[in-house]
Amino acid sequence: MDDWLSVRVDAVSPLAQGIAQFDLRPVQGGELPSYAPGAHIDIELPGKICRSYSLLGGRGATERYQIAVLREPASRGGSAWLHDEARPGTLLRVARPRNHFALDEGEHGNVLIAGGIGVTPLWAMAQRLDELGRDWQMHYRARRRSGAALLQGMARHVEAGRIALSFADEDSPRPDLHAIVRSASPGTHFYCCGPTAMIDAFQQACAGVPAQRVHLERFSADTEPAPGGFAVRLARSGRSLVVPPGSSILDVLRQAGIDVPAACEQGICGACETTVLQGIPDHRDLVLSPAERAANRSLMICCSGAASPELLLDL
Ligand code: FES
């Protein structure tokens, strides 16, 4: 089954300063594969780059995908190209939705912490929780109100006190994450997507919460890729390749002409997850949970390496 879908940009609309919404519809008509809140798609862009964007909305098959894209000042070509070049009618290839940030729809409280464009998956979750009648609250922090996406749809929840907004340029205090976690009812699940500093603070605030109730998604990586200096053996072809220092497994596979899926190349999207049959990975990604890391059944080949001299991969 081809994991890539051909879509056409159907509409581009401004959501906030520097943020545009792109509506994508299947080129062939019909419906696109369904997804749940928290899912993202990878978009293939010119120059062989691939970027991940969270999907708005969620649940059930759909005739379009909607993403909100912030034009990053230090864009590596992804967001700038979409903002400058993608127009209604532009054809794109996107991967089937994947979800490493799934919503637990159980009957418990939910606290959603959003920073900047990280609000995209959390707003999809909030809408779903609201639909289910679950107890939820959201704290949405952005640099400025004019640059905060999706405010319009949130108005009634802000009024009802379910969403607390705060903006740096209005000097409103940051959400007190420790106090929020402390005062949550027993069994509450906590979700966070935002810049690195916010995620780090969130992890500290949730230090005493069981891992299965703490959910986060980063949109930029600040971890060091694993050093090279080990070998990978490919179980299906029997080939053996050396990963030298300064290279990733993904680099080496590509140089050897082996086509493997990848998108962010920073260990945050999960596109390059590869099954490990033997050997101990040196995990450097931000996708796998602590339990998944400890199981050593797979690794992200764009950034992770080996803690053993060789890895046997299911490739
Ligand atoms: Fe995104 Fe490896 S390509 S985690």
Side-chain angles (χ1 to χ4, degrees):
M1 180 177 59
D2 187 3
D3 267 350
W4 290 90
L5 312 160
S6 297
V7 296
R8 184 191 312 277
V9 176
D10 186 52
V12 183
S13 30
L15 274 188
Q17 218 170 62
I19 301 176
Q21 176 176 314
F22 294 80
D23 290 14
L24 312 172
R25 287 184 189 267
V27 170
Q28 306 294 351
E31 292 199 329
L32 290 159
S34 61
Y35 63 95
H40 70 266
I41 50 169
D42 301 324
I43 303 187
E44 195 180 66
L45 297 167
K48 285 200 171 290
I49 59 173
C50 206
R51 293 289 175 267
S52 303
Y53 296 100
S54 293
L55 287 160
L56 292 163
R59 295 315 302 176
T62 173
E63 77 286 356
R64 68 181 171 182
Y65 290 155
Q66 294 178 310
I67 53 169
V69 180
L70 167 69
R71 190 193 165 101
E72 300 277 359
S75 171
R76 293 178 295 144
S79 65
W81 188 89
L82 281 167
H83 273 256
D84 297 344
E85 308 294 337
R87 297 282 175 270
T90 301
L91 299 179
L92 295 169
R93 286 202 333 142
V94 304
R96 285 168 184 275
R98 280 201 309 274
N99 200 341
H100 296 286
F101 190 41
L103 179 67
D104 184 318
E105 296 187 352
E107 285 191 43
H108 45 67
N110 299 276
V111 171
L112 315 174
I113 310 288
I117 193 66
V119 72
T120 317
L122 294 169
W123 176 230
M125 291 180 181
Q127 290 171 293
R128 174 65 181 159
L129 291 167
D130 204 53
E131 188 181 297
L132 291 170
R134 298 282 183 266
D135 175 25
W136 65 276
Q137 55 169 283
M138 184 158 103
H139 298 264
Y140 178 13
R141 172 83 175 174
R143 275 198 203 117
R144 61 189 81 82
R145 195 180 289 268
S146 59
L150 306 167
L151 288 182
Q152 218 178 345
M154 295 179 188
R156 75 182 170 94
H157 298 296
V158 173
E159 233 166 79
R162 275 186 297 274
I163 297 182
L165 303 173
S166 73
F167 302 103
D169 73 335
E170 293 175 10
D171 286 335
S172 35
R174 288 173 197 280
D176 181 342
L177 300 183
H178 282 93
I180 291 168
V181 172
R182 246 194 336 263
S183 61
S185 54
T188 293
H189 281 237
F190 300 91
Y191 297 82
C192 181
C193 183
T196 302
M198 175 182 263
I199 299 260
D200 291 346
F202 172 77
Q203 284 186 297
Q204 280 171 19
C206 292
V209 180
Q212 66 272 22
R213 292 201 276 116
V214 180
H215 314 265
L216 59 90
E217 184 167 71
R218 294 179 187 259
F219 46 70
S220 71
D222 53 1
T223 55
E224 277 289 297
F230 58 92
V232 287
R233 198 148 52 83
L234 313 182
R236 296 186 215 169
S237 63
R239 289 179 76 177
S240 210
L241 302 166
V242 172
V243 182
S247 292
S248 65
I249 300 173
L250 180 64
D251 294 335
V252 168
L253 292 172
R254 281 177 173 162
Q255 282 156 18
I258 298 160
D259 196 20
V260 276
C264 69
E265 300 189 27
Q266 303 183 74
I268 54 175
C269 75
C272 67
E273 184 169 6
T274 302
T275 301
V276 177
L277 300 171
Q278 239 172 55
I280 313 288
D282 173 2
H283 296 288
R284 300 294 177 108
D285 66 279
L286 299 168
V287 177
L288 297 178
S289 66
E292 288 167 332
R293 283 176 168 229
N296 285 332
R297 281 197 283 271
S298 68
L299 90 170
M300 303 300 153
I301 56 172
C302 65
C303 60
S304 298
S308 53
E310 185 183 83
L311 291 177
L312 178 63
L313 302 180
D314 185 18
L315 286 174

PDB file of all heavy atoms in Angstrom, residues 24-61:
ATOM      1  N   LEU A  24      -6.435  20.842   2.299  1.00  0.00           N
ATOM      2  CA  LEU A  24      -5.930  19.930   1.273  1.00  0.00           C
ATOM      3  C   LEU A  24      -7.004  18.902   0.943  1.00  0.00           C
ATOM      4  O   LEU A  24      -7.563  18.282   1.862  1.00  0.00           O
ATOM      5  CB  LEU A  24      -4.673  19.218   1.795  1.00  0.00           C
ATOM      6  CG  LEU A  24      -3.599  20.117   2.434  1.00  0.00           C
ATOM      7  CD1 LEU A  24      -2.503  19.273   3.077  1.00  0.00           C
ATOM      8  CD2 LEU A  24      -2.994  21.047   1.380  1.00  0.00           C
ATOM      9  N   ARG A  25      -7.262  18.722  -0.336  1.00  0.00           N
ATOM     10  CA  ARG A  25      -8.273  17.740  -0.755  1.00  0.00           C
ATOM     11  C   ARG A  25      -7.629  16.711  -1.678  1.00  0.00           C
ATOM     12  O   ARG A  25      -6.672  17.030  -2.378  1.00  0.00           O
ATOM     13  CB  ARG A  25      -9.408  18.435  -1.513  1.00  0.00           C
ATOM     14  CG  ARG A  25     -10.319  19.238  -0.617  1.00  0.00           C
ATOM     15  CD  ARG A  25     -11.479  19.817  -1.405  1.00  0.00           C
ATOM     16  NE  ARG A  25     -12.216  20.761  -0.588  1.00  0.00           N
ATOM     17  CZ  ARG A  25     -13.279  20.442   0.152  1.00  0.00           C
ATOM     18  NH1 ARG A  25     -13.713  19.204   0.163  1.00  0.00           N
ATOM     19  NH2 ARG A  25     -13.896  21.354   0.865  1.00  0.00           N
ATOM     20  N   PRO A  26      -8.170  15.493  -1.689  1.00  0.00           N
ATOM     21  CA  PRO A  26      -7.564  14.465  -2.550  1.00  0.00           C
ATOM     22  C   PRO A  26      -7.705  14.846  -4.024  1.00  0.00           C
ATOM     23  O   PRO A  26      -8.775  15.309  -4.436  1.00  0.00           O
ATOM     24  CB  PRO A  26      -8.350  13.199  -2.220  1.00  0.00           C
ATOM     25  CG  PRO A  26      -9.589  13.658  -1.536  1.00  0.00           C
ATOM     26  CD  PRO A  26      -9.327  15.002  -0.936  1.00  0.00           C
ATOM     27  N   VAL A  27      -6.636  14.641  -4.797  1.00  0.00           N
ATOM     28  CA  VAL A  27      -6.658  14.966  -6.218  1.00  0.00           C
ATOM     29  C   VAL A  27      -7.745  14.164  -6.927  1.00  0.00           C
ATOM     30  O   VAL A  27      -8.440  14.673  -7.800  1.00  0.00           O
ATOM     31  CB  VAL A  27      -5.257  14.688  -6.836  1.00  0.00           C
ATOM     32  CG1 VAL A  27      -5.306  14.768  -8.344  1.00  0.00           C
ATOM     33  CG2 VAL A  27      -4.245  15.679  -6.283  1.00  0.00           C
ATOM     34  N   GLN A  28      -7.894  12.902  -6.522  1.00  0.00           N
ATOM     35  CA  GLN A  28      -8.863  12.025  -7.194  1.00  0.00           C
ATOM     36  C   GLN A  28     -10.288  12.196  -6.685  1.00  0.00           C
ATOM     37  O   GLN A  28     -11.182  11.443  -7.066  1.00  0.00           O
ATOM     38  CB  GLN A  28      -8.492  10.539  -6.982  1.00  0.00           C
ATOM     39  CG  GLN A  28      -7.089  10.168  -7.384  1.00  0.00           C
ATOM     40  CD  GLN A  28      -6.874  10.296  -8.889  1.00  0.00           C
ATOM     41  OE1 GLN A  28      -7.827  10.508  -9.634  1.00  0.00           O
ATOM     42  NE2 GLN A  28      -5.635  10.201  -9.336  1.00  0.00           N
ATOM     43  N   GLY A  29     -10.516  13.111  -5.741  1.00  0.00           N
ATOM     44  CA  GLY A  29     -11.830  13.225  -5.126  1.00  0.00           C
ATOM     45  C   GLY A  29     -12.004  12.149  -4.065  1.00  0.00           C
ATOM     46  O   GLY A  29     -11.052  11.444  -3.724  1.00  0.00           O
ATOM     47  N   GLY A  30     -13.196  12.006  -3.542  1.00  0.00           N
ATOM     48  CA  GLY A  30     -13.442  10.993  -2.507  1.00  0.00           C
ATOM     49  C   GLY A  30     -12.927  11.452  -1.158  1.00  0.00           C
ATOM     50  O   GLY A  30     -12.789  12.646  -0.906  1.00  0.00           O
ATOM     51  N   GLU A  31     -12.622  10.452  -0.325  1.00  0.00           N
ATOM     52  CA  GLU A  31     -12.229  10.785   1.044  1.00  0.00           C
ATOM     53  C   GLU A  31     -10.778  10.441   1.308  1.00  0.00           C
ATOM     54  O   GLU A  31     -10.191   9.589   0.654  1.00  0.00           O
ATOM     55  CB  GLU A  31     -13.118  10.027   2.027  1.00  0.00           C
ATOM     56  CG  GLU A  31     -14.562  10.527   1.998  1.00  0.00           C
ATOM     57  CD  GLU A  31     -15.335  10.127   3.238  1.00  0.00           C
ATOM     58  OE1 GLU A  31     -15.035   9.065   3.797  1.00  0.00           O
ATOM     59  OE2 GLU A  31     -16.230  10.889   3.630  1.00  0.00           O
ATOM     60  N   LEU A  32     -10.219  11.103   2.295  1.00  0.00           N
ATOM     61  CA  LEU A  32      -8.854  10.835   2.739  1.00  0.00           C
ATOM     62  C   LEU A  32      -8.906   9.896   3.941  1.00  0.00           C
ATOM     63  O   LEU A  32      -9.942   9.805   4.610  1.00  0.00           O
ATOM     64  CB  LEU A  32      -8.182  12.154   3.134  1.00  0.00           C
ATOM     65  CG  LEU A  32      -7.862  13.084   1.961  1.00  0.00           C
ATOM     66  CD1 LEU A  32      -7.705  14.515   2.437  1.00  0.00           C
ATOM     67  CD2 LEU A  32      -6.609  12.614   1.243  1.00  0.00           C
ATOM     68  N   PRO A  33      -7.802   9.208   4.253  1.00  0.00           N
ATOM     69  CA  PRO A  33      -7.813   8.315   5.422  1.00  0.00           C
ATOM     70  C   PRO A  33      -8.148   9.097   6.696  1.00  0.00           C
ATOM     71  O   PRO A  33      -7.732  10.243   6.856  1.00  0.00           O
ATOM     72  CB  PRO A  33      -6.381   7.785   5.471  1.00  0.00           C
ATOM     73  CG  PRO A  33      -5.862   7.941   4.085  1.00  0.00           C
ATOM     74  CD  PRO A  33      -6.530   9.155   3.523  1.00  0.00           C
ATOM     75  N   SER A  34      -8.876   8.433   7.574  1.00  0.00           N
ATOM     76  CA  SER A  34      -9.322   9.112   8.797  1.00  0.00           C
ATOM     77  C   SER A  34      -8.162   9.245   9.785  1.00  0.00           C
ATOM     78  O   SER A  34      -7.121   8.599   9.646  1.00  0.00           O
ATOM     79  CB  SER A  34     -10.457   8.323   9.432  1.00  0.00           C
ATOM     80  OG  SER A  34      -9.979   7.047   9.765  1.00  0.00           O
ATOM     81  N   TYR A  35      -8.361  10.050  10.780  1.00  0.00           N
ATOM     82  CA  TYR A  35      -7.349  10.264  11.815  1.00  0.00           C
ATOM     83  C   TYR A  35      -8.069  10.714  13.080  1.00  0.00           C
ATOM     84  O   TYR A  35      -9.240  11.082  13.044  1.00  0.00           O
ATOM     85  CB  TYR A  35      -6.327  11.312  11.369  1.00  0.00           C
ATOM     86  CG  TYR A  35      -6.924  12.680  11.139  1.00  0.00           C
ATOM     87  CD1 TYR A  35      -6.907  13.639  12.139  1.00  0.00           C
ATOM     88  CD2 TYR A  35      -7.536  12.998   9.935  1.00  0.00           C
ATOM     89  CE1 TYR A  35      -7.474  14.897  11.938  1.00  0.00           C
ATOM     90  CE2 TYR A  35      -8.116  14.241   9.733  1.00  0.00           C
ATOM     91  CZ  TYR A  35      -8.080  15.184  10.736  1.00  0.00           C
ATOM     92  OH  TYR A  35      -8.669  16.410  10.537  1.00  0.00           O
ATOM     93  N   ALA A  36      -7.327  10.681  14.181  1.00  0.00           N
ATOM     94  CA  ALA A  36      -7.889  11.122  15.457  1.00  0.00           C
ATOM     95  C   ALA A  36      -7.126  12.361  15.915  1.00  0.00           C
ATOM     96  O   ALA A  36      -6.001  12.602  15.454  1.00  0.00           O
ATOM     97  CB  ALA A  36      -7.766  10.005  16.482  1.00  0.00           C
ATOM     98  N   PRO A  37      -7.690  13.148  16.833  1.00  0.00           N
ATOM     99  CA  PRO A  37      -6.995  14.343  17.307  1.00  0.00           C
ATOM    100  C   PRO A  37      -5.580  14.015  17.797  1.00  0.00           C
ATOM    101  O   PRO A  37      -5.362  12.981  18.430  1.00  0.00           O
ATOM    102  CB  PRO A  37      -7.866  14.822  18.475  1.00  0.00           C
ATOM    103  CG  PRO A  37      -9.232  14.336  18.128  1.00  0.00           C
ATOM    104  CD  PRO A  37      -9.019  13.015  17.437  1.00  0.00           C
ATOM    105  N   GLY A  38      -4.637  14.889  17.498  1.00  0.00           N
ATOM    106  CA  GLY A  38      -3.233  14.667  17.870  1.00  0.00           C
ATOM    107  C   GLY A  38      -2.414  14.150  16.698  1.00  0.00           C
ATOM    108  O   GLY A  38      -1.187  14.138  16.745  1.00  0.00           O
ATOM    109  N   ALA A  39      -3.100  13.701  15.621  1.00  0.00           N
ATOM    110  CA  ALA A  39      -2.376  13.130  14.472  1.00  0.00           C
ATOM    111  C   ALA A  39      -1.702  14.228  13.651  1.00  0.00           C
ATOM    112  O   ALA A  39      -2.086  15.399  13.712  1.00  0.00           O
ATOM    113  CB  ALA A  39      -3.345  12.366  13.586  1.00  0.00           C
ATOM    114  N   HIS A  40      -0.696  13.823  12.904  1.00  0.00           N
ATOM    115  CA  HIS A  40      -0.040  14.760  11.992  1.00  0.00           C
ATOM    116  C   HIS A  40       0.157  14.112  10.631  1.00  0.00           C
ATOM    117  O   HIS A  40       0.068  12.892  10.492  1.00  0.00           O
ATOM    118  CB  HIS A  40       1.302  15.242  12.561  1.00  0.00           C
ATOM    119  CG  HIS A  40       2.363  14.179  12.577  1.00  0.00           C
ATOM    120  ND1 HIS A  40       2.612  13.389  13.674  1.00  0.00           N
ATOM    121  CD2 HIS A  40       3.223  13.763  11.618  1.00  0.00           C
ATOM    122  CE1 HIS A  40       3.584  12.544  13.391  1.00  0.00           C
ATOM    123  NE2 HIS A  40       3.982  12.751  12.146  1.00  0.00           N
ATOM    124  N   ILE A  41       0.415  14.956   9.645  1.00  0.00           N
ATOM    125  CA  ILE A  41       0.807  14.437   8.331  1.00  0.00           C
ATOM    126  C   ILE A  41       2.181  14.987   7.991  1.00  0.00           C
ATOM    127  O   ILE A  41       2.560  16.067   8.450  1.00  0.00           O
ATOM    128  CB  ILE A  41      -0.193  14.832   7.205  1.00  0.00           C
ATOM    129  CG1 ILE A  41      -0.498  16.345   7.226  1.00  0.00           C
ATOM    130  CG2 ILE A  41      -1.445  14.009   7.276  1.00  0.00           C
ATOM    131  CD1 ILE A  41      -1.260  16.836   6.003  1.00  0.00           C
ATOM    132  N   ASP A  42       2.915  14.218   7.208  1.00  0.00           N
ATOM    133  CA  ASP A  42       4.180  14.700   6.650  1.00  0.00           C
ATOM    134  C   ASP A  42       3.872  15.178   5.243  1.00  0.00           C
ATOM    135  O   ASP A  42       3.159  14.503   4.493  1.00  0.00           O
ATOM    136  CB  ASP A  42       5.213  13.572   6.576  1.00  0.00           C
ATOM    137  CG  ASP A  42       5.489  12.989   7.949  1.00  0.00           C
ATOM    138  OD1 ASP A  42       5.488  13.760   8.923  1.00  0.00           O
ATOM    139  OD2 ASP A  42       5.679  11.765   8.046  1.00  0.00           O
ATOM    140  N   ILE A  43       4.405  16.329   4.881  1.00  0.00           N
ATOM    141  CA  ILE A  43       4.202  16.866   3.533  1.00  0.00           C
ATOM    142  C   ILE A  43       5.546  16.885   2.814  1.00  0.00           C
ATOM    143  O   ILE A  43       6.541  17.354   3.366  1.00  0.00           O
ATOM    144  CB  ILE A  43       3.644  18.303   3.566  1.00  0.00           C
ATOM    145  CG1 ILE A  43       2.343  18.330   4.366  1.00  0.00           C
ATOM    146  CG2 ILE A  43       3.426  18.848   2.170  1.00  0.00           C
ATOM    147  CD1 ILE A  43       1.627  19.665   4.332  1.00  0.00           C
ATOM    148  N   GLU A  44       5.534  16.338   1.608  1.00  0.00           N
ATOM    149  CA  GLU A  44       6.752  16.338   0.794  1.00  0.00           C
ATOM    150  C   GLU A  44       6.823  17.684   0.076  1.00  0.00           C
ATOM    151  O   GLU A  44       5.862  18.087  -0.575  1.00  0.00           O
ATOM    152  CB  GLU A  44       6.644  15.211  -0.220  1.00  0.00           C
ATOM    153  CG  GLU A  44       7.938  14.852  -0.882  1.00  0.00           C
ATOM    154  CD  GLU A  44       7.692  13.717  -1.870  1.00  0.00           C
ATOM    155  OE1 GLU A  44       6.977  13.943  -2.875  1.00  0.00           O
ATOM    156  OE2 GLU A  44       8.200  12.627  -1.624  1.00  0.00           O
ATOM    157  N   LEU A  45       7.948  18.346   0.208  1.00  0.00           N
ATOM    158  CA  LEU A  45       8.091  19.676  -0.392  1.00  0.00           C
ATOM    159  C   LEU A  45       9.265  19.684  -1.354  1.00  0.00           C
ATOM    160  O   LEU A  45      10.116  18.785  -1.313  1.00  0.00           O
ATOM    161  CB  LEU A  45       8.293  20.721   0.726  1.00  0.00           C
ATOM    162  CG  LEU A  45       7.096  20.838   1.679  1.00  0.00           C
ATOM    163  CD1 LEU A  45       7.454  21.637   2.921  1.00  0.00           C
ATOM    164  CD2 LEU A  45       5.907  21.470   0.974  1.00  0.00           C
ATOM    165  N   PRO A  46       9.340  20.677  -2.226  1.00  0.00           N
ATOM    166  CA  PRO A  46      10.440  20.696  -3.190  1.00  0.00           C
ATOM    167  C   PRO A  46      11.796  20.668  -2.486  1.00  0.00           C
ATOM    168  O   PRO A  46      11.917  21.147  -1.353  1.00  0.00           O
ATOM    169  CB  PRO A  46      10.228  22.030  -3.915  1.00  0.00           C
ATOM    170  CG  PRO A  46       8.782  22.336  -3.755  1.00  0.00           C
ATOM    171  CD  PRO A  46       8.385  21.781  -2.425  1.00  0.00           C
ATOM    172  N   GLY A  47      12.782  20.131  -3.160  1.00  0.00           N
ATOM    173  CA  GLY A  47      14.119  20.038  -2.583  1.00  0.00           C
ATOM    174  C   GLY A  47      14.251  18.812  -1.704  1.00  0.00           C
ATOM    175  O   GLY A  47      15.114  18.736  -0.841  1.00  0.00           O
ATOM    176  N   LYS A  48      13.350  17.848  -1.918  1.00  0.00           N
ATOM    177  CA  LYS A  48      13.369  16.581  -1.170  1.00  0.00           C
ATOM    178  C   LYS A  48      13.267  16.804   0.328  1.00  0.00           C
ATOM    179  O   LYS A  48      13.855  16.090   1.121  1.00  0.00           O
ATOM    180  CB  LYS A  48      14.648  15.794  -1.496  1.00  0.00           C
ATOM    181  CG  LYS A  48      14.607  15.143  -2.862  1.00  0.00           C
ATOM    182  CD  LYS A  48      15.616  14.021  -2.927  1.00  0.00           C
ATOM    183  CE  LYS A  48      15.484  13.185  -4.165  1.00  0.00           C
ATOM    184  NZ  LYS A  48      14.383  12.350  -4.328  1.00  0.00           N
ATOM    185  N   ILE A  49      12.578  17.868   0.737  1.00  0.00           N
ATOM    186  CA  ILE A  49      12.383  18.028   2.164  1.00  0.00           C
ATOM    187  C   ILE A  49      10.961  17.607   2.530  1.00  0.00           C
ATOM    188  O   ILE A  49      10.063  17.599   1.697  1.00  0.00           O
ATOM    189  CB  ILE A  49      12.692  19.457   2.666  1.00  0.00           C
ATOM    190  CG1 ILE A  49      11.807  20.481   1.970  1.00  0.00           C
ATOM    191  CG2 ILE A  49      14.154  19.796   2.499  1.00  0.00           C
ATOM    192  CD1 ILE A  49      11.964  21.862   2.553  1.00  0.00           C
ATOM    193  N   CYS A  50      10.816  17.272   3.765  1.00  0.00           N
ATOM    194  CA  CYS A  50       9.553  16.741   4.242  1.00  0.00           C
ATOM    195  C   CYS A  50       9.292  17.370   5.606  1.00  0.00           C
ATOM    196  O   CYS A  50      10.206  17.461   6.415  1.00  0.00           O
ATOM    197  CB  CYS A  50       9.762  15.234   4.383  1.00  0.00           C
ATOM    198  SG  CYS A  50       8.279  14.314   4.244  1.00  0.00           S
ATOM    199  N   ARG A  51       8.111  17.866   5.823  1.00  0.00           N
ATOM    200  CA  ARG A  51       7.807  18.508   7.107  1.00  0.00           C
ATOM    201  C   ARG A  51       6.526  17.937   7.683  1.00  0.00           C
ATOM    202  O   ARG A  51       5.613  17.566   6.946  1.00  0.00           O
ATOM    203  CB  ARG A  51       7.649  20.020   6.931  1.00  0.00           C
ATOM    204  CG  ARG A  51       8.930  20.731   6.542  1.00  0.00           C
ATOM    205  CD  ARG A  51       9.920  20.756   7.703  1.00  0.00           C
ATOM    206  NE  ARG A  51      11.194  21.339   7.304  1.00  0.00           N
ATOM    207  CZ  ARG A  51      12.237  20.639   6.865  1.00  0.00           C
ATOM    208  NH1 ARG A  51      12.170  19.330   6.758  1.00  0.00           N
ATOM    209  NH2 ARG A  51      13.359  21.253   6.537  1.00  0.00           N
ATOM    210  N   SER A  52       6.456  17.918   9.012  1.00  0.00           N
ATOM    211  CA  SER A  52       5.273  17.379   9.699  1.00  0.00           C
ATOM    212  C   SER A  52       4.400  18.509  10.211  1.00  0.00           C
ATOM    213  O   SER A  52       4.930  19.473  10.779  1.00  0.00           O
ATOM    214  CB  SER A  52       5.709  16.541  10.902  1.00  0.00           C
ATOM    215  OG  SER A  52       6.564  15.517  10.490  1.00  0.00           O
ATOM    216  N   TYR A  53       3.105  18.363  10.024  1.00  0.00           N
ATOM    217  CA  TYR A  53       2.159  19.356  10.547  1.00  0.00           C
ATOM    218  C   TYR A  53       0.988  18.648  11.193  1.00  0.00           C
ATOM    219  O   TYR A  53       0.422  17.710  10.626  1.00  0.00           O
ATOM    220  CB  TYR A  53       1.661  20.272   9.418  1.00  0.00           C
ATOM    221  CG  TYR A  53       2.778  21.105   8.820  1.00  0.00           C
ATOM    222  CD1 TYR A  53       3.385  20.742   7.627  1.00  0.00           C
ATOM    223  CD2 TYR A  53       3.254  22.227   9.493  1.00  0.00           C
ATOM    224  CE1 TYR A  53       4.437  21.481   7.101  1.00  0.00           C
ATOM    225  CE2 TYR A  53       4.308  22.979   8.973  1.00  0.00           C
ATOM    226  CZ  TYR A  53       4.889  22.593   7.781  1.00  0.00           C
ATOM    227  OH  TYR A  53       5.939  23.321   7.268  1.00  0.00           O
ATOM    228  N   SER A  54       0.599  19.135  12.370  1.00  0.00           N
ATOM    229  CA  SER A  54      -0.557  18.558  13.067  1.00  0.00           C
ATOM    230  C   SER A  54      -1.829  18.881  12.317  1.00  0.00           C
ATOM    231  O   SER A  54      -1.961  19.954  11.723  1.00  0.00           O
ATOM    232  CB  SER A  54      -0.665  19.146  14.478  1.00  0.00           C
ATOM    233  OG  SER A  54       0.410  18.717  15.253  1.00  0.00           O
ATOM    234  N   LEU A  55      -2.768  17.955  12.392  1.00  0.00           N
ATOM    235  CA  LEU A  55      -4.047  18.147  11.709  1.00  0.00           C
ATOM    236  C   LEU A  55      -5.064  18.802  12.633  1.00  0.00           C
ATOM    237  O   LEU A  55      -5.151  18.466  13.824  1.00  0.00           O
ATOM    238  CB  LEU A  55      -4.589  16.788  11.251  1.00  0.00           C
ATOM    239  CG  LEU A  55      -3.834  16.185  10.068  1.00  0.00           C
ATOM    240  CD1 LEU A  55      -4.092  14.686   9.987  1.00  0.00           C
ATOM    241  CD2 LEU A  55      -4.235  16.862   8.765  1.00  0.00           C
ATOM    242  N   LEU A  56      -5.799  19.720  12.078  1.00  0.00           N
ATOM    243  CA  LEU A  56      -6.918  20.305  12.806  1.00  0.00           C
ATOM    244  C   LEU A  56      -8.086  19.324  12.723  1.00  0.00           C
ATOM    245  O   LEU A  56      -8.173  18.524  11.790  1.00  0.00           O
ATOM    246  CB  LEU A  56      -7.316  21.632  12.167  1.00  0.00           C
ATOM    247  CG  LEU A  56      -6.280  22.754  12.314  1.00  0.00           C
ATOM    248  CD1 LEU A  56      -6.551  23.862  11.322  1.00  0.00           C
ATOM    249  CD2 LEU A  56      -6.300  23.302  13.726  1.00  0.00           C
ATOM    250  N   GLY A  57      -8.995  19.437  13.666  1.00  0.00           N
ATOM    251  CA  GLY A  57     -10.183  18.573  13.644  1.00  0.00           C
ATOM    252  C   GLY A  57      -9.821  17.137  13.985  1.00  0.00           C
ATOM    253  O   GLY A  57      -8.852  16.872  14.684  1.00  0.00           O
ATOM    254  N   GLY A  58     -10.600  16.204  13.463  1.00  0.00           N
ATOM    255  CA  GLY A  58     -10.298  14.793  13.736  1.00  0.00           C
ATOM    256  C   GLY A  58     -11.542  13.971  13.940  1.00  0.00           C
ATOM    257  O   GLY A  58     -12.610  14.507  14.199  1.00  0.00           O
ATOM    258  N   ARG A  59     -11.415  12.677  13.821  1.00  0.00           N
ATOM    259  CA  ARG A  59     -12.451  11.641  13.925  1.00  0.00           C
ATOM    260  C   ARG A  59     -13.103  11.384  12.581  1.00  0.00           C
ATOM    261  O   ARG A  59     -13.624  12.292  11.940  1.00  0.00           O
ATOM    262  CB  ARG A  59     -13.578  11.976  14.910  1.00  0.00           C
ATOM    263  CG  ARG A  59     -13.249  12.082  16.361  1.00  0.00           C
ATOM    264  CD  ARG A  59     -12.386  11.055  16.959  1.00  0.00           C
ATOM    265  NE  ARG A  59     -12.815   9.681  16.868  1.00  0.00           N
ATOM    266  CZ  ARG A  59     -12.077   8.686  17.311  1.00  0.00           C
ATOM    267  NH1 ARG A  59     -10.912   8.914  17.854  1.00  0.00           N
ATOM    268  NH2 ARG A  59     -12.497   7.470  17.206  1.00  0.00           N
ATOM    269  N   GLY A  60     -13.034  10.145  12.185  1.00  0.00           N
ATOM    270  CA  GLY A  60     -13.785   9.712  11.009  1.00  0.00           C
ATOM    271  C   GLY A  60     -13.109  10.049   9.690  1.00  0.00           C
ATOM    272  O   GLY A  60     -12.169  10.835   9.643  1.00  0.00           O
ATOM    273  N   ALA A  61     -13.570   9.449   8.648  1.00  0.00           N
ATOM    274  CA  ALA A  61     -13.036   9.735   7.310  1.00  0.00           C
ATOM    275  C   ALA A  61     -13.368  11.166   6.952  1.00  0.00           C
ATOM    276  O   ALA A  61     -14.304  11.762   7.471  1.00  0.00           O
ATOM    277  CB  ALA A  61     -13.667   8.775   6.311  1.00  0.00           C
TER     278      ALA A  61
END
